[in-house]
Amino acid sequence: MTQARETVSFRPGEVILYPGTPGPRDRVYRVLEGLVRLEAVDEEGNALTLRLVRPGGFFGEEALFGQERGYFAEAVTEVVLEALPRELAPEELRALAQHLAQALSEAYRRIERLATQRLKNRMAAALLELAETPLAREEEGKLVLHATHDELAAAVGSVRETVTKVIGELVREGYIRSGYGKILLKNLEGLKALAQSRG
């Protein structure tokens, strides 16, 4: 008989895990619903998104080994998480390893973009990535992304003021339309080409 697992819920903006050595109550979590952002924050309060964890994904793996955590885990939307036991079954270990291998591959791509692409190209890639999360939804047949300029700045490793300028460029060039707290993605194919360019 399978034992029922503990689930926990968080509201948007709530911090789930803090940097530092995992405490005795810290667990590995699987996202059941919503979106979790893992981000590093410097002494001046500038944030950098390290990874977005969607439903089916895991985070908090440091708790298994007592390794120091270097990031915050924050609920971006309403989230429901499954707290995994400290002793994982073999199939859960395989699922966790597979997820972490994929996350590492995505991290390599993110590092490559930071090192080799202009900000506008990185912004296009970030918009497309966010378009595949619960922050995006169809409105009147168009894909609309609900994200602030601060969130976009964290996604591309920049600051809000610079991101606002780049958003303005993308609007003028017809890739997107920008409103308060939301961005309509007008030209997905153009954004994909921009995201792949070293431009």
Side-chain angles (χ1 to χ4, degrees), residues 112-125 156 166 169 173 194-195 197-199:
E112 182 186 9
R113 284 200 301 263
L114 281 169
T116 64
Q117 287 187 314
R118 293 170 50 221
L119 182 57
K120 186 160 73 170
N121 304 87
R122 300 201 313 266
M123 179 61 68
V156 296
V166 171
E169 282 184 53
E173 293 168 11
L194 194 59
S197 170
R198 291 283 176 260

Side-chain angles (χ1 to χ4, degrees), residues 143-157:
L143 192 59
V144 176
L145 177 62
H146 293 263
T148 67
H149 287 196
D150 282 323
E151 289 172 318
L152 294 173
V156 296

Side-chain angles (χ1 to χ4, degrees), residues 34-190:
L35 182 69
V36 174
R37 178 191 295 117
L38 309 186
E39 65 181 10
V41 181
D42 67 19
E43 293 177 358
E44 296 175 357
N46 298 311
L48 174 65
T49 298
L50 303 173
R51 182 157 65 97
L52 294 171
V53 190
R54 303 171 181 84
F58 300 83
F59 66 97
E61 60 278 357
E62 305 84 11
L64 289 177
F65 310 105
Q67 294 176 324
E68 187 166 350
R69 183 182 301 114
Y71 61 83
F72 290 88
E74 178 188 6
V76 180
T77 65
E78 297 276 346
V79 298
V80 179
L81 308 175
E82 177 185 27
L84 301 185
R86 298 204 178 277
E87 296 295 325
L88 297 181
E91 63 273 12
E92 288 174 322
L93 280 172
R94 278 195 299 274
L96 176 60
Q98 184 176 11
H99 173 80
L100 291 177
Q102 182 180 348
L104 190 58
S105 177
E106 289 172 4
Y108 290 155
R109 282 196 297 274
R110 189 182 298 271
I111 291 167
E112 182 186 9
R113 284 200 301 263
L114 281 169
T116 64
Q117 287 187 314
R118 293 170 50 221
L119 182 57
K120 186 160 73 170
N121 304 87
R122 300 201 313 266
M123 179 61 68
L127 291 171
L128 291 170
E129 181 183 11
L130 291 168
E132 297 178 3
T133 73
L135 291 177
R137 50 185 173 266
E138 290 251 343
E139 294 181 12
E140 299 178 7
K142 299 288 186 181
L143 192 59
V144 176
L145 177 62
H146 293 263
T148 67
H149 287 196
D150 282 323
E151 289 172 318
L152 294 173
V156 296
S158 187
V159 294
R160 182 176 52 80
E161 294 79 7
T162 308
V163 160
T164 297
K165 291 176 186 173
V166 171
I167 290 292
E169 282 184 53
L170 293 173
V171 169
R172 286 191 300 277
E173 293 168 11
Y175 293 103
I176 62 174
R177 190 167 73 223
S178 181
Y180 183 73
K182 62 185 191 178
I183 294 172
L184 185 146
L185 305 183
K186 291 173 64 178
N187 182 354
L188 286 173
E189 290 306 313

